[in-house]
Amino acid sequence: MPEPAAPPGAPGDSPFLRACRGEPHDRVPVWFMRQAGRALPEYRAVRERHSFEQVVHTPELAAEVTLQPVRRYRPDAAILFSDIVTPVQAMGLGVTIQPGVGPVVDRPLRTREDVDRLRQLEPDVDMPFVLKTVSLLVAELDVPLIGFAGAPFTLASYLVEGRPSKSYTRTKALMLSDELTWHRLLDRLASITIASLRAQVARGAAAVQLFDSWAGALSPDDYERAVLPHSRRVFEALADLEVPRIHFGVATGELLGLMAQAGADIVGVDWRVPLDVARQRVPEGVGPQGNLEPAVCLAPQPTVEARVADVLARAGGRPDHIFNLGHGVLPETDPGVLEHVVEVVHETGRVLPPAAVADADPDQVPAEGAARG
Ligand code: 1CP
């Protein structure tokens, strides 16, 4: 029997899950991408004693690091501490996470023969430590746990380049020169991602986020032809689990409509597109997540508060908005500022009742007073 989707400590009527479903709730939910690690001194203390891989491979440590930001910031959701390359690393593909760099691959995948080295992921055999972490967290948390995985394109960018890239030259060269190998690679990565996400949900992850962080490097045409079918397959393969699905990428302003077509319930928006504009680019029924510019958290408090108010106003009090940063927490951020952002969102964010949403003009950014109720 599959385990229940909603963890015992995180009821299905939590503000985060209700917002994912577009249902009325009493406060604007907020969490931060990359809320674990990075800015937290208690994370750095763990990392002084253990490598990143040791933390991820030791369920008690990974659970502890996931809980650290939840204790401090009191967000409405936790996100599993792991990495998008963890599944392929666990399959023995020769990936290391280098401090200050990111994922580095011993033998990058660039030919049809290389791609054939990618087998299917068996989550229980390959990454039991991740699943144990999920189980520990679900037993401990009183907010929903978000499981996550890398989207086929973003994973491919690491595996083909061999390391973090700014231009994705080799990835694009493969995509544009050998369609058969490209689709074979993305198809295999989609299967790995599906297996990983399904296993996380089976252990109690209450929602999933697919990170296509670097999809914004593509033109809409290339995205639609070479990437969208694979991301769509991921979302379709999760539909029967009935957990909310979030789809996020950076610099994806021109892709938001196409990304929404992949089938997620919520589309993450980076800080480059105002939320009210983003809403016009996605169909009714797909909610926005975002989108405070992460660098705003380095500014003085009045600026932080004004920018939080602006995001809330542009969200218009609609019940399907999840407050987040437009990308991950910057390492320089003072954790106290994130704590304050959560308080301000909870205290000043207002969720309109369904009747008021129906009356609201979607093209109109409400005055600040209206958003603050
Ligand atoms: O809240 C959290 O921090 C949760 C854990 C988490 C998540 C959700 C980590 C830990 N990584 C991720 C996802 C991830 N990893 C993404 C998608 C999110 C995003 O867009 O930021 C990406 C692109 C990666 C790849 C990756 N892993 C990078 C980026 C490299 C680049 O291309 O610029 C880096 C630096 C890593 C290593 C990593 N992952 C996580 C941490 C805390 C670290 C740093 C390791 C350390 O402590 O030394």
Side-chain angles (χ1 to χ4, degrees), residues 276 280 318 360-366:
D276 49 315
Q280 291 165 9
R318 290 176 170 249
D361 176 353
D363 295 334
Q364 195 69 46
V365 179

mmCIF file of all heavy atoms in Angstrom, residues 276 280 318 360-366:
data_model
loop_
_atom_site.group_PDB
_atom_site.id
_atom_site.type_symbol
_atom_site.label_atom_id
_atom_site.label_comp_id
_atom_site.label_asym_id
_atom_site.label_seq_id
_atom_site.Cartn_x
_atom_site.Cartn_y
_atom_site.Cartn_z
ATOM 1 N N ASP A 276 2.064 40.617 -11.163
ATOM 2 C CA ASP A 276 0.804 40.846 -11.883
ATOM 3 C C ASP A 276 0.992 40.644 -13.387
ATOM 4 O O ASP A 276 0.084 40.187 -14.077
ATOM 5 C CB ASP A 276 0.249 42.249 -11.582
ATOM 6 C CG ASP A 276 1.293 43.333 -11.738
ATOM 7 O OD1 ASP A 276 2.430 43.162 -11.258
ATOM 8 O OD2 ASP A 276 0.990 44.361 -12.368
ATOM 9 N N GLN A 280 -0.568 37.343 -16.051
ATOM 10 C CA GLN A 280 -1.192 37.444 -17.387
ATOM 11 C C GLN A 280 -0.560 36.478 -18.388
ATOM 12 O O GLN A 280 -1.114 36.248 -19.452
ATOM 13 C CB GLN A 280 -1.076 38.871 -17.899
ATOM 14 C CG GLN A 280 -1.955 39.832 -17.103
ATOM 15 C CD GLN A 280 -1.598 41.286 -17.336
ATOM 16 O OE1 GLN A 280 -0.803 41.602 -18.216
ATOM 17 N NE2 GLN A 280 -2.177 42.149 -16.539
ATOM 18 N N ARG A 318 -4.874 37.151 -4.153
ATOM 19 C CA ARG A 318 -5.486 35.922 -4.693
ATOM 20 C C ARG A 318 -5.011 34.700 -3.907
ATOM 21 O O ARG A 318 -3.859 34.642 -3.483
ATOM 22 C CB ARG A 318 -5.149 35.791 -6.170
ATOM 23 C CG ARG A 318 -5.895 36.844 -6.920
ATOM 24 C CD ARG A 318 -5.567 36.858 -8.378
ATOM 25 N NE ARG A 318 -6.536 37.741 -8.985
ATOM 26 C CZ ARG A 318 -7.505 37.338 -9.814
ATOM 27 N NH1 ARG A 318 -7.585 36.079 -10.176
ATOM 28 N NH2 ARG A 318 -8.365 38.195 -10.291
ATOM 29 N N ALA A 360 -12.571 40.992 -8.597
ATOM 30 C CA ALA A 360 -11.354 41.782 -8.822
ATOM 31 C C ALA A 360 -11.021 41.823 -10.306
ATOM 32 O O ALA A 360 -11.187 40.843 -11.027
ATOM 33 C CB ALA A 360 -10.196 41.186 -8.032
ATOM 34 N N ASP A 361 -10.535 42.977 -10.758
ATOM 35 C CA ASP A 361 -10.106 43.107 -12.147
ATOM 36 C C ASP A 361 -8.685 42.567 -12.246
ATOM 37 O O ASP A 361 -7.772 43.115 -11.636
ATOM 38 C CB ASP A 361 -10.171 44.586 -12.535
ATOM 39 C CG ASP A 361 -9.647 44.821 -13.948
ATOM 40 O OD1 ASP A 361 -9.131 43.866 -14.546
ATOM 41 O OD2 ASP A 361 -9.774 45.960 -14.425
ATOM 42 N N PRO A 362 -8.471 41.484 -12.992
ATOM 43 C CA PRO A 362 -7.140 40.869 -13.020
ATOM 44 C C PRO A 362 -6.068 41.794 -13.593
ATOM 45 O O PRO A 362 -4.895 41.617 -13.336
ATOM 46 C CB PRO A 362 -7.327 39.641 -13.917
ATOM 47 C CG PRO A 362 -8.587 39.878 -14.677
ATOM 48 C CD PRO A 362 -9.421 40.786 -13.854
ATOM 49 N N ASP A 363 -6.482 42.817 -14.380
ATOM 50 C CA ASP A 363 -5.473 43.701 -14.976
ATOM 51 C C ASP A 363 -5.085 44.839 -14.043
ATOM 52 O O ASP A 363 -4.213 45.631 -14.344
ATOM 53 C CB ASP A 363 -6.006 44.305 -16.283
ATOM 54 C CG ASP A 363 -6.222 43.206 -17.312
ATOM 55 O OD1 ASP A 363 -5.547 42.171 -17.206
ATOM 56 O OD2 ASP A 363 -7.079 43.382 -18.190
ATOM 57 N N GLN A 364 -5.748 44.918 -12.917
ATOM 58 C CA GLN A 364 -5.552 46.059 -12.032
ATOM 59 C C GLN A 364 -4.709 45.659 -10.832
ATOM 60 O O GLN A 364 -5.063 44.745 -10.105
ATOM 61 C CB GLN A 364 -6.940 46.524 -11.553
ATOM 62 C CG GLN A 364 -6.980 47.888 -10.921
ATOM 63 C CD GLN A 364 -6.722 48.979 -11.947
ATOM 64 O OE1 GLN A 364 -7.289 48.950 -13.026
ATOM 65 N NE2 GLN A 364 -5.833 49.895 -11.621
ATOM 66 N N VAL A 365 -3.587 46.344 -10.623
ATOM 67 C CA VAL A 365 -2.828 46.106 -9.391
ATOM 68 C C VAL A 365 -3.564 46.831 -8.280
ATOM 69 O O VAL A 365 -3.781 48.033 -8.368
ATOM 70 C CB VAL A 365 -1.411 46.674 -9.488
ATOM 71 C CG1 VAL A 365 -0.655 46.426 -8.195
ATOM 72 C CG2 VAL A 365 -0.679 46.050 -10.649
ATOM 73 N N PRO A 366 -3.998 46.111 -7.234
ATOM 74 C CA PRO A 366 -4.748 46.795 -6.193
ATOM 75 C C PRO A 366 -3.860 47.799 -5.455
ATOM 76 O O PRO A 366 -2.648 47.620 -5.386
ATOM 77 C CB PRO A 366 -5.191 45.668 -5.256
ATOM 78 C CG PRO A 366 -4.358 44.498 -5.600
ATOM 79 C CD PRO A 366 -3.803 44.710 -6.969
#
